[in-house]
Amino acid sequence: MARFTLPRDVYHGKGSLEALKTFTGKRAMICVGGGSMKKFGFLDRAESYLREAGMEVQIFSGIESDPSVETVMKGAEAMLAFEPDWIVAMGGGSPIDAAKAMWIKYEYPETTFEDMCKVFGLPKLRKKAKFCAISSTSGTATEVTAFSIITDYQKGIKFPIADFEITPDVAIVDPELAETMPKKLVAHTGMDAMTHAIEAYVSTANCSYTDALSLYAIKMIQYDLVASYNGDMAARDRMHDAQCMAGMSFSNALLGIVHSMAHKTGAAFADYGAHIIHGAANAMYLPKVIAFNAKDKTAAIRYAHIADHMGLGGYSTDEKVKLLISALRDMSTQLNIPHCIKQYGADSYPSGQGFVPEEVFLERVHDIAVNAIGDACTLSNPRQPSVEEMERLLKCCYYDEEVDF
């Protein structure tokens, strides 16, 4: 038996933020990140709509990019004091992910972060509050997923929380919010969405329901991402829907080792002054992982299906896989994303000498590989790597070397 779970309601299209007016409850807490939602007026509008619905509103702001365990605990304390019956998270993936984890702690105050990270092991939520997610970026799709990513900075590791209980009750996918994204964010979130769709399609947990969403999202991203990056706002609006569909797919089909590797390398070199941004990591690792997974016959055929759907040409399965890899690398080039960690600058742009020193990478690669193998996303990858193979794969991602194993 399989399961397919989505939010009960998905409001989409311009002006869908107004759906907040229809909510019923006594108190709502809005969780936001930096200042962009305030700067562009969306936070004030959301607060106004909730007050129009008759609710008392409190705002929890300042959720950082790559939210920490400490921020989650602080937010949960604020919820316990305010006692909201609606949690409304708005912004990019970070505030929504953080609010999901806060929600767990709010409903079950004795729960530890370690308890949260037990895959599909959460108790029933919604005893105290329902959850609404409003996305402002076009990539993470956390507004419709059963996942949250929280960073333990003491360990330098991003941990996924995975459970259908944290699938939001309501998702609001209003493209007006995405039109405010800076160019670099368009690139990174867009390649995150493409990775979601491709990994979901080849995942061992894929099904007909998820396949349809994956393939349609891939086609939309193929046509709209670079155009969105170059300022086409109609394409930007379509990307907001495409990334959401990719999220609906991977939330049910799960992901693979591109995400395992991205989770475990993202903060692994923070002591050198920067993170490897999640979407950029996915863009760098995806072509290498495709080459690795395509050694599995079933995965190779499914990658070839993707290439056919994208109209890339080719006759044999091997040729189609190579054309898919080439197309994805070309997309990264057009989006100004590096092809390997060695060329990843601290600002995320290609650099002759990236911010991660070679000797530091080599010192840490074994531990990163072990952690990546243990990541929840590895379980549904079509080819299960050994620690040694994961180390080799990570080295190919550092040096931009061919994957031939």
Side-chain angles (χ1 to χ4, degrees):
M1 181 176 69
R3 177 175 174 177
F4 187 81
T5 300
L6 298 175
R8 183 185 183 280
D9 294 301
V10 178
Y11 295 95
H12 57 96
K14 288 193 174 183
S16 54
L17 188 63
E18 288 194 35
L20 292 172
K21 293 179 181 180
T22 67
F23 287 19
T24 57
K26 294 180 179 178
R27 287 178 294 277
M29 178 172 281
I30 303 177
C31 299
V32 293
S36 64
M37 292 297 94
K38 179 72 173 177
K39 175 183 175 182
F40 294 107
F42 296 116
L43 177 57
D44 290 341
R45 283 168 57 185
E47 183 178 3
S48 175
Y49 294 149
L50 289 166
R51 292 192 188 281
E52 190 174 333
M55 283 190 250
E56 183 183 351
V57 180
Q58 187 176 105
I59 295 169
F60 183 88
S61 62
I63 298 171
E64 73 274 40
S65 297
D66 302 308
S68 65
V69 177
E70 290 75 18
T71 295
V72 168
M73 298 307 167
K74 184 179 176 183
E77 287 178 9
M79 289 178 186
L80 285 164
F82 183 61
E83 297 185 339
D85 42 23
W86 273 102
I87 298 167
V88 178
M90 66 185 305
S94 294
I96 298 174
D97 279 2
K100 286 180 176 180
M102 293 170 190
W103 183 25
I104 300 167
K105 185 74 173 175
Y106 169 51
E107 299 243 355
Y108 294 93
E110 302 305 315
T111 298
T112 65
F113 182 65
E114 289 70 24
D115 292 334
M116 295 182 194
C117 294
K118 294 174 183 175
V119 179
F120 293 96
L122 292 178
K124 294 289 183 182
L125 299 180
R126 296 165 180 83
K127 296 180 184 296
K128 295 181 179 179
K130 292 182 179 180
F131 193 98
C132 171
I134 306 167
S135 54
S136 67
T137 61
S138 300
T140 68
T142 189
E143 73 273 8
V144 292
T145 74
F147 299 96
S148 166
I149 306 298
I150 305 298
T151 302
D152 184 328
Y153 284 92
Q154 291 184 341
K155 296 179 180 179
I157 296 174
K158 294 183 178 183
F159 288 95
I161 301 172
D163 198 290
F164 287 121
E165 284 299 312
I166 60 171
T167 304
D169 297 283
V170 177
I172 296 177
V173 188
D174 190 330
E176 287 186 27
L177 280 70
E179 290 179 2
T180 65
M181 284 193 296
K183 198 169 185 177
K184 182 162 70 173
L185 191 58
V186 172
H188 294 161
T189 56
M191 287 306 291
D192 192 18
M194 179 64 97
T195 305
H196 289 156
I198 291 175
E199 286 210 292
Y201 190 73
V202 301
S203 161
T204 56
N206 73 75
C207 67
S208 297
Y209 301 98
T210 60
D211 284 353
L213 288 161
S214 288
L215 288 175
Y216 197 75
I218 288 167
K219 193 75 168 178
M220 289 182 73
I221 296 166
Q222 177 191 9
Y223 281 108
D224 289 324
L225 176 53
V226 174
S228 172
Y229 177 76
N230 289 324
D232 183 333
M233 286 301 154
R236 181 81 54 89
D237 292 354
R238 290 191 295 270
M239 273 298 303
H240 211 42
D241 287 331
Q243 64 85 30
C244 187
M245 286 186 283
M248 291 176 177
S249 180
F250 91 78
S251 186
N252 292 278
L254 309 180
L255 293 165
I257 59 173
V258 177
H259 273 75
S260 301
M261 293 158 66
H263 292 157
K264 304 318 180 195
T265 55
F269 308 100
D271 52 331
Y272 281 81
H275 281 207
I276 301 176
I277 296 171
H278 181 72
N282 284 339
M284 292 190 293
Y285 307 161
L286 179 58
K288 306 302 182 189
V289 169
I290 290 173
F292 175 80
N293 283 342
K295 302 295 189 291
D296 174 88
K297 184 177 179 181
T298 300
I301 291 170
R302 292 186 74 80
Y303 286 129
H305 288 168
I306 293 172
D308 287 341
H309 195 70
M310 294 173 70
L312 300 179
Y315 294 96
S316 68
T317 296
D318 286 349
E319 187 180 2
K320 291 175 182 179
V321 171
K322 288 178 181 177
L323 286 168
L324 174 60
I325 290 170
S326 179
L328 292 168
R329 286 177 63 91
D330 180 62
M331 188 174 288
S332 287
T333 298
Q334 293 183 70
L335 297 170
N336 206 19
I337 297 174
H339 290 297
C340 64
I341 300 170
K342 189 175 182 179
Q343 296 172 354
Y344 185 93
D347 59 0
S348 83
Y349 292 122
S351 169
Q353 179 57 56
F355 84 95
V356 181
E358 180 178 17
E359 64 275 13
V360 173
F361 174 81
L362 293 174
E363 285 171 4
R364 300 181 186 183
V365 67
H366 175 75
D367 288 344
I368 293 170
V370 170
N371 290 329
I373 292 290
D375 189 274
C377 293
T378 300
L379 296 173
S380 47
N381 194 68
R383 184 181 172 198
Q384 289 298 303
S386 65
V387 173
E388 180 186 3
E389 287 172 329
M390 181 61 80
E391 280 192 52
R392 291 178 67 188
L393 191 53
L394 284 161
K395 288 177 181 176
C396 289
C397 292
Y398 184 86
Y399 296 108
D400 194 16
E401 293 178 343
E402 189 102 3
V403 176
D404 57 1
F405 55 94

